[in-house]
């Protein structure tokens, strides 16, 4: 049996086991352990594809990041859905969602990419619908916006990729062999005669998935309406599929003659998204909306990194693109998970009056603070590594108009994100104003631990990813060695657990 068939069987086995562990007679502890089986089988399938050369470092990095952060989010969702009194086994749906997203990144061919991605879109839409039905604060139009914009535009682009690939096969073989749909990406010849009219169709769906302006409007409502574990996956792990789609387009279609134009388009859209996203963040009170608009801003930043990658398609730049996505995944999954506990404790998503959160949620606050420090770009976090490397790569080349725009975008993102991160950090300390009339609901420590672990990924994720980031290994190790990680962890523990100031009730 070949590697591709084996990996497909492993994916199917993982889905069957997910159905089994959804049985209600299994209590949380065995389910916590049993979740390792489908995740492990999916990880094994991805490893077989990687070791046999079916997929390269970049999708493997994104697939394993999705599995690791998704597994922790799946554990968190077991407690979250009980706290929020959802009916049924929604945590199993979360696990299914994670595995489908990971399998999309790990897809070795066009047909599996289209099938897995489409299935993940359907599960994401279902979770948004359930969140709308359960929440009294979410928009009732969010699921329609997600379905019509995010999902539909993706289908347009992925089928345009298939069409262009068909043309490529016809050009090289003088016939249509539909079997190319199951052949590995690396065996499909790069199409070098793509019409300029194809290019908008090739990229529009993937740009919509990243929620760059002007195709951003579906994201804030959809990500804030979904249950928090789903929001974490949708925002932190699924929107990067848009960048992966663009990456696949560049590998399948030779667009080198349009590289400057494409880079300028992505840089302009990214810069606009950064400005718009951070303006909206500063105007919001809803914690989920704050994080949703932060997704638009950070994806704008990643778009500018992608533009730089188009201008300089080196292994080092590919690593920086991967690290940028890891940064977004680490801090966004952590904060969306934490805001779910805040909502469960305070019975509201409006966080403008919340202070002293470190007293209410002492363990999860450590994870939340690490995520905020990543957004701030503090040394010792992945945010510092990414932002330092971004500036280094841009100034190490001659500054043409495109690179000047990208540099301006980097500086804008770094400065505003640091300012807003400091502002967001106030929810953890001080006395609330106005004070909440009722005492916050006590959240079990077991529900807070997954958020703490997710927060630690903001420090350690680059280090464990070194085998797939070979070109950046020395820099990652250097930043890790010079950063006062132990001091940072000690200060965070002191501030969040032993600080005397807190909520007064």
């Amino acid at each position: 049996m070949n590697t591709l068939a084996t990996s497909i069987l492993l994916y199917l086995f993982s889905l069957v086991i997910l159905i089994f562990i959804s049985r209600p007679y299994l209590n949380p502890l065995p389910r916590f352990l049993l979740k390792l089986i489908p995740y492990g089988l999916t990880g094994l399938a991805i490893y077989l594809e990687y070791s046999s050369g079916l997929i390269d470092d970049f999708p493997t990095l994104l697939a394993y990041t999705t599995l690791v952060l998704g597994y922790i989010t799946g554990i968190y969702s077991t407690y979250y859905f009980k706290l929020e009194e959802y009916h049924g086994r929604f945590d199993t749906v979360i696990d299914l969602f994670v595995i489908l997203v990971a399998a999309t990144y790990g897809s070795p061919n066009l047909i599996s990419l289209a099938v897995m991605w489409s299935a993940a879109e359907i599960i994401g839409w279902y979770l948004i619908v359930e969140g709308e039905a359960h929440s009294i604060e979410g928009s009732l139009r969010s699921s329609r916006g997600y379905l019509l914009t995010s999902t539909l535009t993706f289908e347009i682009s992925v089928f345009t990729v298939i069409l262009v690939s068909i043309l490529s096969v016809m050009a090289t073989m003088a016939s249509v062999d539909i079997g190319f749909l199951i052949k590995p990406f690396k065996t499909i010849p790069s199409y070098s005669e793509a019409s300029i009219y194809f290019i908008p169709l090739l990229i529009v769906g993937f740009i919509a998935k990243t929620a760059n302006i002007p195709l951003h409007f579906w994201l804030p409502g959809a990500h804030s309406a979904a249950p928090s574990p789903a929001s974490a996956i949708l925002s932190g792990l699924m929107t990067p599929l848009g960048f992966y789609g663009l990456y696949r387009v560049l590998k399948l279609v030779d667009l080198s003659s349009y590289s400057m134009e494409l880079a300028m388009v992505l840089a302009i859209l990214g810069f606009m998204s950064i400005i718009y996203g951070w303006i909206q963040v500063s105007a919001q009170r809803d914690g989920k909306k704050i994080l949703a608009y932060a997704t638009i801003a950070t994806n704008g930043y990643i778009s500018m990194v992608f533009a730089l990658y188009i201008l300089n398609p080196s292994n080092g730049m590919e690593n920086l693109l991967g690290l940028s996505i890891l940064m977004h995944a680490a801090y966004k999954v952590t904060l969306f998970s934490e805001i779910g506990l805040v909502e469960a404790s305070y019975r509201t998503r409006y966080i403008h009056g919340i202070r002293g959160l470190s007293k209410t949620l002492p363990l999860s606050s450590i994870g939340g603070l690490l995520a905020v420090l990543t957004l701030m770009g503090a040394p010792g976090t992945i945010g510092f590594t990414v932002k330092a490397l971004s500036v280094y790569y841009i100034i190490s080349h001659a500054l043409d108009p495109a690179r000047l725009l990208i540099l301006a975008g980097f500086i804008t993102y770094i400065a505003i994100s640091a300012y807003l991160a400091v502002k967001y950090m106030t929810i953890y300390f001080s006395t609330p104003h106005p004070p909440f009339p009722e005492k916050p609901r006590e959240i079990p420590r077991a529900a807070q631990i997954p958020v703490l672990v997710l927060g630690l990924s903001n420090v350690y994720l680059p280090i464990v990813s070194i085998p797939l980031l070979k070109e950046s290994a020395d820099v990652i190790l250097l930043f890790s060695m010079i950063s006062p990680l132990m001091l940072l962890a000690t200060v965070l523990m002191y501030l969040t657990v032993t600080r005397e100031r807190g909520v007064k009730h």
Side-chain angles (χ1 to χ4, degrees):
M1 186 180 296
N2 62 34
T3 302
L4 184 57
T6 302
S7 64
I8 291 173
L9 284 177
L10 288 172
Y11 287 133
L12 291 175
F13 282 144
S14 68
L15 298 179
V16 170
I17 292 171
L18 274 178
I19 295 172
F20 171 75
I21 66 175
S22 67
R23 299 301 90 191
Y25 54 79
L26 293 171
N27 63 55
L29 183 58
R31 283 165 56 77
F32 162 80
L33 296 175
L34 286 172
K35 282 175 185 284
L36 285 170
I37 301 175
Y39 280 87
L41 289 175
T42 305
L44 178 59
I46 293 167
Y47 173 76
L48 290 176
E49 293 169 353
Y50 175 70
S51 61
S52 61
L54 294 178
I55 57 176
D56 50 23
D57 289 343
F58 185 68
T60 304
L61 174 69
L62 301 184
Y64 276 126
T65 299
T66 299
L67 282 179
V68 172
L69 298 183
Y71 174 70
I72 303 168
T73 306
I75 297 171
Y76 157 80
S77 69
T78 304
Y79 298 100
Y80 171 84
F81 287 119
K82 285 186 177 181
L83 288 169
E84 291 293 286
E85 299 178 349
Y86 278 80
H87 299 292
R89 291 294 184 181
F90 280 97
D91 63 305
T92 302
V93 181
I94 293 293
D95 295 325
L96 174 62
F97 192 24
V98 171
I99 287 175
L100 287 172
V101 174
T104 303
Y105 286 123
S107 295
N109 53 45
L110 278 169
I111 191 67
S112 60
L113 176 71
V115 170
M116 294 296 185
W117 195 332
S118 298
E121 293 282 353
I122 293 170
I123 297 299
W125 171 78
Y126 169 75
L127 287 166
I128 293 169
V129 170
E130 291 299 322
E132 287 177 332
H134 189 82
S135 175
I136 63 173
E137 296 173 324
S139 169
L140 294 178
R141 295 179 295 177
S142 301
S143 57
R144 281 174 282 173
Y146 178 87
L147 190 64
L148 294 175
T149 305
S150 174
T151 304
L152 182 60
T153 54
F154 147 71
E155 298 291 348
I156 291 172
S157 282
V158 77
F159 284 108
T160 303
V161 170
I162 292 174
L163 175 61
V164 169
S165 298
I166 289 174
L167 295 175
S168 175
V169 172
M170 289 178 64
T172 56
M173 300 177 60
S175 63
V176 178
D177 177 13
I178 202 67
F180 85 94
L181 291 173
I182 63 172
K183 292 181 179 178
F185 285 117
K186 292 183 176 181
T187 65
I188 300 176
S190 177
Y191 187 56
S192 58
E193 300 178 8
S195 167
I196 192 172
Y197 301 108
F198 272 127
I199 296 176
L201 294 175
L202 282 169
I203 67 175
V204 64
F206 303 129
I207 289 177
K209 194 64 197 173
T210 63
N212 269 291
I213 286 179
L215 298 173
H216 66 285
F217 49 85
W218 61 271
L219 186 145
H223 288 194
S224 59
S228 283
S231 300
I233 296 163
L234 284 164
S235 181
L237 303 177
M238 195 173 185
T239 59
L241 276 172
F243 297 111
Y244 178 60
L246 292 173
Y247 172 85
R248 276 289 160 227
V249 167
L250 292 181
K251 295 294 183 181
L252 291 171
V253 184
D254 182 8
L255 298 176
S256 56
S257 58
Y258 305 108
S259 59
M260 180 59 70
E261 291 81 1
L262 284 173
M264 283 298 294
V265 168
L266 280 176
I268 291 170
L269 295 181
F271 191 84
M272 292 169 59
S273 298
I274 289 170
I275 298 297
Y276 172 81
W278 287 140
I279 288 174
Q280 287 292 338
V281 166
S282 64
Q284 299 297 320
R285 292 184 170 189
D286 183 330
K288 277 192 167 183
K289 285 285 183 69
I290 288 172
L291 297 178
Y293 282 109
T295 296
I296 294 174
T298 302
N299 280 350
Y301 175 81
I302 300 173
S303 294
M304 304 195 88
V305 174
F306 203 104
L308 195 58
Y309 170 65
I310 291 174
L311 294 173
N312 182 30
S314 63
N315 290 332
M317 275 307 307
E318 185 175 305
N319 285 351
L320 176 59
L321 179 61
L323 277 169
S324 301
I325 294 174
L326 261 60
M327 174 191 73
H328 174 67
Y331 97 80
K332 196 54 64 64
V333 171
T334 303
L335 290 181
F336 259 121
S337 297
E338 184 186 43
I339 207 68
L341 297 184
V342 172
E343 185 178 11
S345 179
Y346 290 88
R347 314 310 300 173
T348 182
R349 299 198 321 232
Y350 293 93
I351 64 172
H352 59 285
I354 293 179
R355 298 293 184 273
L357 188 62
S358 60
K359 283 288 186 179
T360 307
L361 301 171
L363 292 179
S364 64
S365 290
I366 299 173
L369 280 166
L370 283 169
V372 174
L373 288 172
T374 279
L375 187 59
M376 190 185 301
T381 65
I382 187 173
F384 176 80
T385 302
V386 168
K387 293 171 183 179
L389 280 176
S390 297
V391 174
Y392 168 76
Y393 275 114
I394 195 69
I395 64 176
S396 62
H397 294 81
L399 293 178
D400 53 35
R403 288 184 172 85
L404 278 173
L405 178 60
I406 294 170
L407 178 60
F410 285 169
I411 294 172
T412 301
Y413 179 85
I414 291 169
I416 300 178
S417 62
Y419 167 75
L420 291 175
V422 172
K423 188 175 179 181
Y424 186 91
M425 196 176 289
T426 59
I427 70 172
Y428 295 99
F429 310 117
S430 304
T431 302
H433 180 74
F436 285 88
E438 298 179 2
K439 183 177 181 180
R441 177 186 179 188
E442 185 175 347
I443 302 299
R445 286 179 175 263
Q448 299 181 50
I449 290 175
V451 181
L452 170 59
V453 176
L454 288 170
L456 292 174
S457 70
N458 290 271
V459 174
Y460 297 109
L461 193 57
I463 300 173
V464 299
S465 301
I466 282 177
L468 298 171
L469 296 168
K470 304 177 184 68
E471 296 294 325
S472 303
D474 293 342
V475 176
I476 292 171
L477 287 174
L478 177 63
F479 285 152
S480 299
M481 290 173 61
I482 66 174
S483 301
L485 298 183
M486 295 304 295
L487 177 61
L488 179 63
T490 302
V491 170
L492 286 173
M493 182 70 72
Y494 171 78
L495 290 175
T496 55
V497 180
T498 67
R499 188 180 174 98
E500 293 183 0
R501 297 179 67 188
V503 182
K504 305 294 184 182
H505 295 288

